[in-house]
Amino acid sequence: ALAVLVPKDLVGRRIVVSAGGTREALDPVRYLGNRSSGRQGVAIAIAAAARGADVTLIGANLEIDVPSSIHVLHVVSTLELAAAVELAARDADVVIMAAAVADYRPERVAESKIKKDEHGDRLTLELVRNPDILATLGESRRPGQVIVGFAAETETDRDRLLDLGRAKVARKRSDFLVVNRVGWNEGFATEGNTVIVLDGRGDIVIEASGSKASVAGRILDVLARPGA
Ligand code: CTP
Ligand code: CA
């Protein structure tokens, strides 16, 4: 009965959503990772599919179940995510980068388990920068393609949070940036979310707070607007 209330305003739109958090291998049994569960990105994929979009979800180490009706590509590392997004973006109308992407990866991946007796009391890891997937999408976008980034920030002051978001949206050349505050107890792995969506000029488009499903709906409302 609820389904009839969902607007089918994304029919024919091809939407790629990345979700979760990438992991960078240190050795065969260990990785560097982050606390993203994938909840917000998966909620966006589910809501977009319900509104008629043709959705591809690229999931990095999702900690939640995805309905079998959603087409999911599973990746682990940032380089895998980059390759999957680049391919999927080629014929996408909208790309939403909700994944928390590791900024660095270990320069070398040990072929066997790192042992304490080889390192003693201190172990130094050399990390190298990962490619910036969102910035690459922003540079290589086709006319009409809409690129949406997320910004996870621990900044608590609203004005400074907005300044960080504005700098980020300019740097990434994305059409929209969903700014959300994350911390030990908010953002990642939680049920609810509070976001501010900026457009490419850094102007506030919407502010939304509530369940990740309702926040997903508000973000998609922006993308469903004529001209978006
Ligand atoms: N992102 C990406 N590739 C990376 C790093 C981030 O595509 N190597 C994307 C994320 O998916 C997100 C956006 O860029 O949509 C912003 O990520 P965030 O970590 O907030 O920004 P960074 O540019 O990495 O800056 P910093 O972490 O230094 O604040
Ligand atoms: Ca980052």
Side-chain angles (χ1 to χ4, degrees):
L2 257 178
V4 298
L5 300 175
V6 176
K8 294 283 182 185
D9 53 1
L10 295 172
V11 172
R13 300 283 289 274
R14 288 162 300 184
I15 301 187
V16 173
V17 184
S18 73
T22 60
R23 292 178 181 173
E24 305 296 346
L26 283 165
D27 70 16
V29 293
R30 303 188 179 97
Y31 60 82
L32 295 176
N34 62 69
R35 293 175 47 230
S36 176
S37 60
R39 279 187 177 81
Q40 185 63 75
V42 169
I44 292 170
I46 292 170
R51 288 162 72 154
D54 172 355
V55 176
T56 298
L57 175 64
I58 306 178
N61 312 292
L62 300 177
E63 286 172 6
I64 52 163
D65 292 331
V66 179
S68 57
S69 57
I70 306 274
H71 175 227
V72 196
L73 299 171
H74 293 281
V75 298
V76 176
S77 68
T78 300
L79 293 180
E80 287 171 16
L81 178 65
V85 169
E86 195 203 304
L87 200 65
R90 284 182 198 169
D91 51 16
D93 300 308
V94 180
V95 184
I96 303 174
M97 284 296 298
V101 181
D103 292 327
Y104 297 89
R105 66 180 183 277
E107 185 172 33
R108 283 172 299 276
V109 181
E111 276 177 38
S112 50
K113 201 180 151 197
I114 297 168
K115 300 297 263 178
K116 290 192 294 299
D117 57 11
E118 286 165 19
H119 295 280
D121 290 339
R122 188 176 288 263
L123 169 64
T124 304
L125 297 172
E126 274 310 330
L127 306 178
V128 294
R129 268 284 271 277
N130 271 324
D132 190 320
I133 304 166
L134 183 62
T136 304
L137 289 168
E139 283 162 19
S140 62
R141 77 147 77 65
R142 295 190 317 273
Q145 192 176 41
V146 177
I147 309 294
V148 183
F150 270 66
E153 305 288 355
T154 49
E155 175 61 59
T156 51
D157 179 78
R158 180 186 159 89
D159 288 332
R160 283 201 296 260
L161 182 70
L162 284 171
D163 285 344
L164 288 172
R166 289 185 176 119
K168 201 165 273 186
V169 78
R171 199 164 64 234
K172 309 271 193 173
R173 294 199 242 161
S174 51
D175 299 288
F176 297 103
L177 187 74
V178 181
V179 181
N180 77 322
R181 205 147 68 77
V182 293
W184 296 107
N185 298 308
E186 52 192 331
F188 290 174
T190 59
E191 292 303 328
N193 208 2
T194 299
V195 304
I196 304 173
V197 180
L198 302 178
D199 65 15
R201 292 188 305 268
D203 291 334
I204 296 176
V205 186
I206 56 154
E207 300 192 42
S209 192
S211 68
K212 287 182 175 176
S214 78
V215 168
R218 298 286 310 283
I219 293 167
L220 292 174
D221 289 345
V222 172
L223 302 177
R225 283 179 194 165

